[in-house]
Amino acid sequence: MKTLEQTSRRDFMKLAAAAGGGLFLGFNWSNSSALPVVVNAKDIAAGLIHFNSYLSIGTDNTITIVSPNPEIGQGIKTAFPMIVAEELDADWKKVKTVQGNLDTTIFERQVTGGSGAVPHSWERLRKAGATARYLLVEAAATTWKVPATECTTESNKVLHKASGKSLSYGELAEATSKLTAPTEVKLKNEKEFKLIGQSVRNVDNNNIATGKPLFGLDFYREGMLFALIQRPKAFGLKLKSVNSDVAKSMPGIVDVVTFDNSVAVVGKSTWQVKKAKDTLKIEYEKAADLESTADHNRIFAQLMDSGQATVRRKNGDVDTAFKNAAKVIKAEYQCPFLPHSPLEPMNFFAHVREDGVELVGPTQTPDRARTEVAKLTGIAPEKITVEITRQGGGFGRRLAADYVIEAANVSKLMKAPVKVIWTREDDMTGGIYRPAVRYRFEAALDKSGELIGYKLRGVGMNSGNSTREDNFPSGSVDNLLIDSVEHKSPITTGPWRAPITNFLAYAEQSFLDEVAEAAGKDPIEFRLALLEKAKKSPAGDVKYDVDRMIAVIKMAAEKSNWGKKKGVHQGFSVYFSHRSYVAQVGEVVVEKGKPVLKKVIAAVDCGIVINKSGSLQQVRGGVVDGIGHAMYGNMTFKDGTPDQNNFNGFRLIRMNEIPEVDVHFVDNGISPTGLGEPALPPAGGAVANAFYKATKLRLRNQPFINEEAFKGIS
């Protein structure tokens, strides 16, 4: 039997209608200006009416909304209902969320990526809650024969304080369902918020703690088969032959099948399949160059000086600025490939039938999964369903659909329902990595230490444009050139938390500290002066909010007591990404002759904070993720084969290495902007600059553990 979390939107409506009905509002995800309308639950269940989402108030006083976006730990499944509940003056204990499955006819942007879910849905959700509240007040006022203006709401009740009367939302639900929604509705002023901005536990916490089946790995279907897949062990190889005789003879094994460049062992249990997979005898042949990390270093050096660069932004006369400069500063920064390393490895369930396909599992892009499976099977997309489970991490890895396609391939070949599971080794060595990149920076200073010229070249592996040409300091330097060069590698890459900026921010912010030092200026004052230049006399378009960036810089300086702590070496960094602004100060002390990271202070402008506890964890998690990978993460290759295949070889930050993370939010009352990613980019730069203060050694390559400044640190 399916749990509430597993039911589809239509299944939920059928259950709600059968349970006694109530108020059902349909509201539009794709049009923020469209107001909700009262709809008939029976018509929804019968498929006669389509709206992009639903808010229901049952006669049992329970408020439920369908949430479309995949939950990967970013807390969207908690934030969405909080927004509705705030405008509705709901009793939070009575609010529930149902995970919506893929439905492109009624949902827009059913994606988790780019830190865009709350910015996209903020106004839509508020209008849904405010409309429901308006209708409930109207129903109560009609019942009591009093003016609606004399009624107030709180905690799932409408009150008429003059008479002492009150009715619960559940008691009013039926009467409210007979009313017509207004054409306009007033939203609360931020100062009136009671729930938004408070700390609220994640709605799935209890189910997670008690082991309820929420995740893709939890999904089980009676009679399904399990499959593990052997992919080429090196990037650049293709399958030549396979001997699976031993595997096929082992207990529980149903078959061994091949497709594309892969061999799938299919059986009745994961352990039986894993044991059989280890007996496969496979031959491969070369299909592309088998690249090693040493090759990448050579390729980077060649392309950095090549004439193949694509100009991304150019302002002023760069050549003249550098020719006339009193001082020129140059530096190069490089980072390695990185795996995503989600706690839950890739997995997916597929049942390919002649009349349709059923897909179930963790995906950040359910529509992409469906589209790719439609191409594979030739079955129309409308005959393919995608049920979205909660995800044990994604960080961009589950934006891809390769593991979904594998499940569909095996199910199609086996003519049976199949669940494909990746081991940790599969997850680490199966690609899609954060691309390796090298940056070269050059800065020209005049005699007074003013920045008059700036150049950046990015060389990336499968990264497309490895720069963010419109980010700071663009707009603040009169003569600027940003370009990029691309190397096509057989090593598969893809988005990794805060794509491109996860390393670029560290490199840029470290280099700006080098420039500030060469100019004889304080790092923070140096950046503030550049921002004032961008504000008063911009060089070309300025595509970031200068005032918001200045505000987080000043807050970080104030909260960290910048430059005034004895025995503490501070490093600064600030970055704009995903519509938000984050400034960080890293603090390093020297203990027994070794620099030790003790604290990171973060100032964050993400607009209105929905869930304070969830937001704090997003920032802290982003900081730890950023500094951990900057310090220790290193994926290397030998002849196309990853050298690291599990956590015994791939170094992650350890619990005792995590510093205190002190978080402060700017309260500016603007609509929410992204938060899942923006805290990660500035983290590496803040730490690197702090270590420089302590050691006088620059950290120009990641992981820091391999650099001179880190020698002797385990």
Side-chain angles (χ1 to χ4, degrees), residues 3 16 105 117 211 247 260 279 327 390 392 433 459 479 483 502 511 514 525 529 585 590 696:
T3 66
T105 64
D260 297 334
T279 70
K327 185 180 293 185
R390 188 181 174 97
Y433 306 106
V459 178
N479 308 292
D483 57 27
N502 56 62
F511 181 67
E514 293 195 51
E525 293 303 322
V585 174
V590 177
K696 294 303 175 185

Side-chain angles (χ1 to χ4, degrees), residues 72-74 109 111-117 119 340 364 394-397 399 468 494-503 505 575-582 584 604 606 614-615 617-626 673-684:
I72 61 170
Q74 82 280 34
R109 201 193 180 276
V111 172
T112 289
S115 300
H340 293 78
Q364 293 178 242
F395 313 111
R397 177 62 181 89
L399 291 170
R468 288 291 182 267
W496 191 95
R497 192 176 187 180
I500 303 299
T501 61
N502 56 62
F503 179 74
Y575 215 71
F576 157 65
S577 68
H578 301 88
R579 311 171 196 84
S580 294
Y581 299 78
V582 181
Q584 295 177 15
V604 182
C606 60
S615 298
Q617 295 312 315
Q618 283 295 299
V619 175
R620 288 169 178 156
V623 170
V624 172
D625 203 10
T673 51
L675 193 56
E677 292 158 288
L680 187 149

Side-chain angles (χ1 to χ4, degrees), residues 676-692:
E677 292 158 288
L680 187 149
V687 172
N689 291 333
F691 272 104
Y692 172 76

Side-chain angles (χ1 to χ4, degrees), residues 432-473:
I432 300 171
Y433 306 106
R434 190 276 299 272
V437 181
R438 179 181 289 182
Y439 293 112
R440 174 183 290 168
F441 295 89
E442 299 178 58
L445 297 174
D446 64 13
K447 292 180 180 179
S448 62
E450 297 299 313
L451 182 60
I452 59 172
Y454 182 88
K455 289 194 278 189
L456 163 63
R457 171 165 293 181
V459 178
M461 301 272 186
N462 303 337
S463 57
N465 178 11
S466 56
T467 74
R468 288 291 182 267
E469 64 272 13
D470 293 323
N471 279 11
F472 178 75

Side-chain angles (χ1 to χ4, degrees), residues 68-72 74 76 99 110-112 363-364 366 388 391:
N69 291 60
E71 172 62 69
I72 61 170
Q74 82 280 34
I76 202 65
Q99 175 67 61
Q110 204 170 358
V111 172
T112 289
T363 170
Q364 293 178 242
I388 306 166
Q391 302 168 53

Side-chain angles (χ1 to χ4, degrees), residues 17 111 116 259 384 474 619 643 656 711:
V111 172
F259 61 92
I384 300 174
S474 292
V619 175
D643 293 320
N656 65 337
K711 282 188 176 179

Side-chain angles (χ1 to χ4, degrees), residues 35 71 323 329 338 391 423 431 467 541 655 698:
L35 284 163
E71 172 62 69
K323 181 180 178 181
I329 303 94
L338 287 179
Q391 302 168 53
T423 63
T467 74
D541 293 338
M655 291 293 289
R698 291 286 179 194

